């Protein structure tokens, strides 16, 4: 319903890449035998005392700087109290009124239009454990505390919200994920839950100023579901308002199977959490020197890299955007270009055949069996005429399947281009004598597309290895 305007605020949680948990020495890694990576501190035993993880604090400072935030020189930790079986202490250590970073922004682009999305805060907290519920009918649930106490960063967009469509919500998340992975504070794996996002959605009649009641969507674990979830929720709310009904303030889950949101629970009020400063933790003093040190080490961020790819390698804005989507993708590209010198070739092969193979195998670029140096060598072999572009396609597939290097495969498979005119000529002669009707037609009508058939026959007879320019030349010569 175009007369209703979507309004979206994003709350994103990122598990931080640290060796140990936020307030204890337990290992921080995805998975593991349940309840093997926990101790009295992260199991919430009475009397156990938390100790801050410096690396986690630094990751949040780095993120806040990358998002153009101001750093609070004196941040503090607070207890957010609520009762749930995945939270053994009965409270989550979080940051309430003085988060580490405030007042930042990131830029997105949707349909060619640039837009700045303002960020209200970046704060540090701890993750909860995980619950596993038995199938319906079995009154049994399980708790795994391996995730309990894992450092978690929350990033919340500003109010009033800048995001005004599902596309923008998705783009915001794409850009945020790129930044977090570039600065190496989070692995960005939405499917493993290390990057989670809860859009807050409301709609209002276009032209009016007041914001409508919002709902918060949970359990979205891909870009696609974020987009779909926001679209669905806007449509649902517009429908309600259109029929004179009210939107209830609530938390809604996302059903991947039904592609629909459903009511989970009514939204708790802030006061129900009884926030208060955590008396077990000292206030966090962040010195100017510390901030400057982190700032000095910030790597090149996605927008800067994208702009550089356009100027340095002459890539189109579209290609540059795709190739800087993740840090790994952009490093792969640069490594391959350094080794073969042809940016356009590398970009085409990466975005075409290599992406197709990776998608088919469900692999990310960093897991590619075809190393950047191999792709570069393959391109060099096309350029120096050792193999044809067509053979290169098979070569890439073979490298992908075996992880072997290209020269070895070309050698064992006998994939070198045949440029020996004598060898090609004998095949040309055979093909011509086998196709007298076509040859006669070509002689009468001149060189029509019929010649393509003959070229094809010769290529087929050589398994695509004959140098096509030589084949064309010899066919012309023979027919004339
Ligand atoms: P809560 O306490 O319910 O989580 P917050 O005030 O922290 O809500 O806001 C969460 C996010 O929702 C922020 O990004 C904020 O800008 C956004 N937001 C607030 N009100 C609305 C609204 N009416 N419609 C859409 N988003 C909203
Ligand atoms: Mg919220
Ligand atoms: Zn622990």
């Amino acid at each position: 319903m175009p007369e209703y305007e979507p309004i979206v605020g994003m709350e994103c949680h990122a598990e931080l890449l640290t060796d140990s948990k936020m307030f204890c020495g337990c290992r921080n890694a995805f998975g593991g035998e349940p309840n093997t990576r926990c101790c009295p501190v992260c199991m919430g035993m009475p009397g156990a005392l938390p100790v801050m993880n410096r690396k986690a604090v630094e990751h949040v400072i780095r993120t806040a700087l990358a998002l153009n935030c101001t750093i609070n020189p004196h941040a503090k930790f607070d207890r957010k109290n609520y009762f749930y079986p995945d939270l053994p202490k009965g409270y989550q250590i979080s940051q309430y009124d003085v988060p580490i970073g405030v007042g930042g922004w990131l830029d997105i682009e949707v349909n060619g239009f640039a837009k700045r999305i303002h960020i209200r805060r970046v704060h540090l907290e701890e993750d909860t454990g995980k619950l596993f519920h038995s199938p319906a009918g079995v009154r049994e649930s399980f708790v795994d505390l391996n995730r309990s106490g894992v450092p978690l960063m929350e990033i919340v967009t500003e109010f009033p919200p800048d995001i005004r469509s599902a596309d923008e919500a998705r783009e915001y998340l794409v850009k945020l994920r790129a930044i977090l992975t570039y600065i190496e504070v989070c692995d960005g794996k939405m499917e493993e839950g290390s990057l989670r996002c809860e859009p807050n959605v409301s709609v209002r009649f276009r032209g009016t100023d007041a914001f409508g009641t919002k709902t918060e969507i949970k359990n979205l674990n891909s870009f696609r579901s974020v987009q779909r979830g926001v679209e669905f929720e806007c449509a649902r709310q517009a429908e309600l308002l259109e029929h004179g009904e009210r939107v209830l303030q609530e938390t809604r889950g996302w059903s991947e199977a039904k592609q629909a949101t459903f009511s989970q629970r009514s939204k708790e009020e802030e006061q129900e959490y009884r926030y208060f400063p955590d008396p077990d933790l000292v206030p966090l003093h962040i010195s100017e020197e510390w901030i400057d040190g982190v700032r000095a080490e910030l790597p090149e961020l996605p927008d800067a890299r994208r702009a550089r790819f356009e100027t340095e390698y002459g890539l189109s804005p579209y290609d540059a955007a795709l190739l800087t989507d993740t840090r790994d993708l952009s490093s792969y590209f640069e490594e391959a270009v350094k080794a073969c010198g042809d940016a356009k070739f590398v970009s085409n092969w990466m975005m075409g055949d290599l992406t197709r193979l990776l998608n088919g195998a469900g692999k990310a670029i960093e897991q590619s069996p075809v190393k950047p140096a191999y792709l570069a060598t393959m391109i060099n072999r096309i350029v120096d005429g050792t193999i044809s572009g067509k053979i290169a396609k098979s070569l890439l597939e073979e490298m992908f399947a075996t992880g072997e290097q290209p020269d070895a495969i070309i050698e064992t498979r006998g994939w070198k281009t045949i440029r020996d005119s004598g060898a090609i000529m004998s095949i040309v002669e055979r093909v011509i004598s086998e196709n007298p009707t076509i040859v006669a037609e070509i002689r009468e009508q001149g060189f029509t597309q019929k010649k393509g058939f003959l070229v094809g026959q010769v290529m087929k007879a050589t398994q695509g290895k004959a140098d096509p320019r030589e084949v064309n030349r010899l066919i012309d010569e023979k027919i004339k």
Side-chain angles (χ1 to χ4, degrees):
M1 287 189 224
E3 59 275 27
Y4 288 91
E5 181 184 33
I7 313 276
V8 185
M10 300 284 271
E11 288 173 89
C12 294
H13 285 97
E15 285 178 349
L16 297 174
L17 286 170
T18 55
D19 294 331
S20 56
K21 291 187 181 178
M22 187 59 226
F23 297 111
C24 63
C26 293
R27 187 163 165 230
N28 170 21
F30 180 73
E33 180 74 20
N35 298 309
T36 55
R37 296 171 186 168
C38 39
C39 72
V41 174
C42 56
M43 287 191 295
M45 296 296 174
L49 289 171
V51 178
M52 240 182 264
N53 182 333
R54 182 188 170 94
K55 185 73 169 277
V57 173
E58 197 160 298
H59 278 347
V60 177
I61 298 173
R62 180 173 296 116
T63 306
L65 292 174
L67 295 173
N68 309 290
C69 290
T70 308
I71 308 291
N72 270 320
H74 295 280
K76 72 188 216 315
F77 287 97
D78 305 278
R79 293 185 179 180
K80 178 181 181 178
N81 301 277
Y82 64 94
F83 178 75
Y84 211 62
D86 62 6
L87 187 71
K89 289 201 294 290
Y91 60 86
Q92 177 192 33
I93 304 178
S94 181
Q95 296 190 291
Y96 181 53
D97 50 347
V98 197
I100 293 176
V102 290
W105 44 264
L106 64 72
D107 290 329
I108 59 167
E109 208 180 291
V110 173
N111 303 325
F113 290 101
K115 185 158 186 180
R116 179 154 292 180
I117 310 298
H118 292 88
I119 289 163
R120 187 201 296 169
R121 56 186 282 151
V122 180
H123 80 238
L124 182 51
E125 57 188 34
E126 54 179 345
D127 212 341
T128 61
K130 251 190 218 170
L131 297 180
F132 296 86
H133 302 292
S134 299
V138 184
R139 293 176 60 81
E140 212 174 34
S141 287
F142 299 87
V143 189
D144 176 8
L145 295 179
N146 284 355
R147 202 181 66 179
S148 172
V150 161
L152 194 64
M153 173 170 65
E154 181 170 341
I155 301 160
V156 185
T157 57
E158 190 55 276
F159 186 84
D162 297 308
I163 299 174
R164 297 301 166 84
S165 71
D167 286 349
E168 290 179 6
R170 180 201 166 99
E171 264 329 291
Y172 169 80
L173 190 60
V174 167
K175 180 54 83 57
L176 182 65
R177 180 175 183 273
I179 292 171
L180 298 181
T181 51
Y182 268 62
I183 63 177
E184 296 180 299
V185 299
C186 173
D187 65 20
K189 291 182 181 163
M190 297 183 69
E191 66 291 353
E192 288 183 1
S194 43
L195 181 61
R196 313 194 281 268
C197 139
E198 285 122 42
N200 290 258
V201 180
S202 68
V203 298
R204 68 177 173 194
F205 205 77
R206 276 189 205 280
T208 59
D209 292 332
F211 290 110
T213 304
K214 71 179 164 72
T215 58
E216 185 172 333
I217 318 174
K218 296 224 183 254
N219 318 335
L220 301 166
N221 56 12
S222 66
F223 292 125
R224 193 185 150 82
S225 57
V226 167
Q227 168 135 23
R228 290 291 187 80
V230 173
E231 276 168 2
F232 179 92
E233 199 45 31
C234 290
R236 187 187 70 87
Q237 294 183 11
E239 187 79 23
L240 282 174
L241 297 180
E242 192 64 16
H243 289 88
E245 289 170 59
R246 285 192 325 145
V247 173
L248 294 181
Q249 173 156 339
E250 60 183 355
T251 301
R252 297 181 68 86
W254 169 250
S255 160
E256 201 58 56
K258 295 191 184 131
Q259 295 284 297
T261 66
F262 57 90
S263 178
Q264 264 186 333
R265 56 183 157 91
S266 66
K267 174 82 196 164
E268 50 288 280
E269 295 290 326
E270 200 153 77
Q271 66 223 29
E272 293 176 44
Y273 289 127
R274 293 152 24 246
Y275 278 101
F276 64 86
D278 192 311
D280 288 340
L281 287 160
V282 293
L284 177 57
H285 175 60
I286 305 172
S287 67
E288 279 297 322
E289 299 78 68
W290 194 6
I291 298 172
D292 290 344
V294 176
R295 198 194 309 274
E297 280 173 15
L298 270 182
E300 184 179 42
L301 295 176
D303 282 345
R305 185 161 292 185
R306 171 178 158 176
R308 183 168 63 78
F309 274 21
E310 287 180 36
T311 51
E312 190 174 332
Y313 302 114
L315 297 182
S316 71
Y318 179 81
D319 292 1
L322 278 182
L323 289 169
T324 50
D325 198 25
T326 69
R327 184 177 177 157
D328 288 321
L329 202 57
S330 64
S331 330
Y332 187 104
F333 170 79
E334 289 210 279
E335 227 176 288
V337 174
K338 222 169 270 162
C340 76
D342 196 320
K344 195 65 209 162
F345 248 132
V346 172
S347 132
N348 286 346
W349 280 97
M350 278 182 72
M351 296 198 299
D353 290 69
L354 185 57
T355 299
R356 179 176 54 79
L357 291 167
L358 289 168
N359 289 347
K363 286 193 160 122
I365 189 79
E366 59 273 24
Q367 303 162 310
S368 171
V370 182
K371 301 295 162 219
Y374 297 179
L375 185 71
T377 304
M378 183 192 92
I379 289 168
N380 283 337
R381 296 299 166 264
I382 303 171
V383 174
D384 69 19
T386 307
I387 55 170
S388 65
K390 195 157 175 222
I391 289 286
K393 271 181 178 285
S394 315
L395 176 58
L396 190 72
E397 276 165 23
E398 190 69 13
M399 286 196 287
F400 196 87
T402 62
E404 270 178 56
Q405 48 143 314
D407 283 334
I409 298 174
I410 295 172
E411 200 56 49
T412 52
R413 292 296 199 110
W415 273 346
K416 275 200 181 120
T417 301
I418 305 168
R419 270 180 294 184
D420 169 11
S421 302
I424 299 175
M425 190 51 139
S426 64
I427 299 166
V428 166
E429 281 169 347
R430 200 191 74 218
V431 167
I432 283 181
S433 69
E434 281 169 3
N435 295 283
T437 339
I438 289 179
V439 172
E441 278 173 19
I442 294 174
R443 287 207 170 107
E444 271 165 34
Q445 301 163 12
F447 287 95
T448 60
Q449 64 270 49
K450 294 262 164 66
K451 191 181 105 190
F453 175 80
L454 298 181
V455 174
Q457 291 300 302
V458 176
M459 296 307 286
K460 202 168 148 193
T462 60
Q463 286 111 40
K465 287 183 299 188
D467 179 1
R469 245 177 307 163
E470 195 59 10
V471 173
N472 270 286
R473 194 181 68 77
L474 292 175
I475 289 178
D476 290 356
E477 185 183 307
K478 197 74 201 163
I479 291 183
K480 272 187 191 139

